[in-house]
Structures are given as C-alpha cells and as structure tokens.
Amino acid sequence: MKKSFKEIERSSRNVLSEAGVEVSAFEIKLLLADVLGVEPAQIGYGEILLNAEQIEKFETMLEARKKNKPVDKILGHKGFYKYDFCTSEDVLSPRSDTEILVEEALALIAQNAYLNVLELGVGSGCVIVSLLADISELQGVGVDVSAGALQVADENARRLGVGERLILKQASWNDADFVQRIGKRFDLIVSNPPYIATKEIEELDAEVKNYDPLLALDGGDDGLHCYRQIAKVIPFLLKQGGYLLVEIGEGQAADVCGIFEKYGLQTNKIIKDLSGIERCISLKK
C-alpha cells in the first residue's frame, strides 16, 4: 500500500473519531514510525509504502487506541525529560508536568552537591533514572510496593546505563518497619504519590482509569492519604538540611504543606507547571 502520511493520518483519525477517540497527528506519526522502524522525524510528506504485515500491525494499534489504550502503552515506551522510558500497565504513564520535579531536583543537587537521592513510589523510574542519567556521581534508591513497577524501573535503569547506581526495593510506606527497611538517610527525597480522591477515579479519562494502575492514582478519601503516610517517615529518612520534593494535585498545595510542616519540615517554595497550576512543593528539613 502506498499512501501519503496525510492520507494515512486522515483515515486513521476518522476511524478513531467514529469510536469517540480523538488523537493528534503526532500520535499517528508515533504509531506509524514504530510500524516502519524509523524515527517519527523521518516520516515526511512523500508516499509511504506499507507491506501487508505492517498494515496489519498498524490496524492492530488503531484497534487498541479505539479502546482508549494510551499510545505509550501500545508502543511500550514514552519520552520524558531528555530520555525514552519503557512503560506498561504496571506503571503510571510519564507526564510532562512531572518534568518540573526532575528540574527542581537537579537544581538542588547542583546547588548543594548532593550525593544520594531516594524516590518514594518509583513507578517507571522516569524521575530518579533521569536524575542519575544526568549526574554521574549520584547514587539512588527507588521504592515501590508494586513488583511489576520495579521490573519496569529496573529495565529503564539498565537501558540508560545507571543500573549499578540504583538500588530498587519493594516496600510500602504503610509498613511498620518501612524506615528500618530503607536503612539510611538521604540528602534529597522525591515523590509523585497517588493524589486523586477515590470518588474522583471514575471521572478520569478512560485511558487513565483503565490503563494506569489504581495504586498509582488512588489517594484515599480526600486525595491526601499518601502525603500523611509519607510525612510520618520523612523525619527518619531525610538528613538535616535536606529537601523533600513532592508532586501534588490541583488545589492541594496548602493542605500538603500543612501536613509536612506538622512533622518539622518548612515549605521552601511551590512550583507551577506549564498550565500555571501549583504542581510541585519543595520542603526543607
């Protein structure tokens, strides 16, 4: 089959639109590039030749997208910050909003010559692996309750060449022996915990509620349960003078600051995302 990208894009979007799924031209280009085994930038405006096997693979991808499966979970990877990360239904799809957590962490590491970092709720590893990939002297520990998530994080660490500097542990911050199992204090702690109120889960987009793990979304009755649990262990895991960076949901900044201030941390600053929403809190011990 020979068609231009515009023709393939138009027909693909029509198919998906009939199923109630709206996609961008870039998403179609990502899927098509994967089928062809090329970079998205290599797909131009000339004719594209697809053989029968490639047509079948592309149609299978469109069928998955019709069911609201996110593009990254169809492809099995997604770009985040400066790198490309493996994804699966065991992990939250990396969000561009979370990149500010990485950027703020890098600034603190540079300013203070920090040597180690802990991530609570490591998921795909996109945050801590990005930090380790950028700073060769940094050592990290990533913790998650999900064995599936830890497998994805381990794969990403190895793919980006930082596996020897990242220790991954399966544990829950709800465990009574959590602090003992971590076993040390850190210069910097980062976390993007679940912060969606339980009653709001059903209102989320289908590609989020059906394909991101509930463990990575559900923040309890008011969305703040995980912050309360993390606040209890932070005093024992963070060095004096060290920083905690947490991602938050819209409208949660004041409440989250209050939770950690009760445990001796001071709010350093609140950082907004590209949409102007307060998205990240920096706290100092």
Side-chain angles (χ1 to χ4, degrees):
M1 179 187 78
K2 272 189 177 182
K3 286 187 177 181
S4 71
F5 173 67
K6 283 295 182 184
E7 289 175 308
I8 295 172
E9 178 204 346
R10 184 166 54 248
S11 61
S12 300
R13 292 178 77 169
N14 286 340
V15 166
L16 294 172
S17 184
E18 288 176 5
V21 178
E22 299 299 326
V23 297
S24 66
F26 183 65
E27 287 181 310
I28 299 297
K29 186 173 281 191
L30 286 174
L31 296 176
L32 193 56
D34 186 79
V35 167
L36 293 169
V38 301
E39 293 297 319
Q42 292 178 258
I43 297 178
Y45 293 95
E47 287 193 325
I48 296 169
L49 177 62
L50 295 174
N51 61 35
E53 184 180 346
Q54 291 169 330
I55 292 171
E56 182 180 359
K57 182 177 180 180
F58 188 63
E59 289 177 346
T60 299
M61 288 177 164
L62 292 182
E63 283 299 313
R65 194 68 186 94
K66 281 169 67 174
K67 297 175 183 176
N68 290 292
K69 190 169 187 176
V71 169
D72 72 286
K73 287 178 178 167
I74 295 172
L75 299 176
H77 62 92
K78 185 176 183 179
F80 173 86
Y81 182 53
K82 299 189 304 190
Y83 307 105
D84 192 60
F85 289 89
C86 296
T87 63
S88 78
E89 291 182 30
D90 286 312
V91 299
L92 189 75
S93 294
R95 269 73 159 168
S96 57
D97 288 340
T98 305
E99 292 178 7
I100 64 170
L101 192 67
V102 173
E103 291 163 358
E104 187 63 24
L106 288 170
L108 286 172
I109 293 166
Q111 290 165 11
N112 298 281
Y114 286 154
L115 297 175
N116 57 50
V117 59
L118 167 69
E119 182 171 14
L120 299 176
V122 73
S124 67
C126 64
V127 173
I128 196 166
V129 171
S130 292
L131 298 178
L132 295 172
D134 264 22
I135 303 176
S136 59
E137 299 84 9
L138 195 65
Q139 302 284 327
V141 174
V143 182
D144 207 292
V145 71
S146 165
L150 290 170
Q151 288 179 348
V152 176
D154 181 59
E155 182 176 358
N156 283 320
R158 287 188 286 105
R159 286 177 71 243
L160 290 177
V162 304
E164 293 184 357
R165 291 186 285 121
L166 177 62
I167 297 170
L168 294 169
K169 297 188 177 188
Q170 185 174 9
S172 168
W173 48 61
N174 297 310
D175 295 339
D177 64 344
F178 182 72
V179 171
Q180 288 74 23
R181 292 177 68 184
I182 303 305
K184 61 182 289 187
R185 293 178 187 263
F186 295 82
D187 298 316
L188 175 68
I189 299 176
V190 296
S191 185
N192 177 17
Y195 54 68
I196 308 295
T198 304
K199 63 185 177 185
E200 296 174 5
I201 300 291
E202 275 305 309
E203 300 170 15
L204 297 173
D205 290 342
E207 62 184 71
V208 176
K209 68 180 179 181
N210 294 340
Y211 294 98
D212 278 333
L214 184 62
L215 271 174
L217 299 171
D218 193 344
D221 291 344
D222 60 358
L224 302 174
H225 172 75
C226 293
Y227 298 104
R228 295 190 184 97
Q229 295 303 113
I230 291 171
K232 294 176 183 177
V233 300
I234 286 297
F236 305 100
L237 297 175
L238 187 62
K239 292 179 182 178
Q240 191 64 39
Y243 284 86
L244 166 69
L245 296 176
V246 291
E247 183 169 324
I248 58 170
E250 185 173 1
Q252 293 180 331
D255 288 333
V256 173
C257 287
I259 288 169
F260 286 104
E261 286 168 0
K262 288 179 182 177
Y263 287 83
L265 274 68
Q266 296 179 333
T267 300
N268 178 46
K269 63 177 173 177
I270 300 171
I271 306 107
K272 294 181 179 180
D273 63 21
L274 296 175
S275 300
I277 296 170
E278 293 176 332
R279 186 62 66 188
C280 176
I281 300 176
S282 169
L283 302 118
K284 185 176 183 180
K285 183 177 177 184

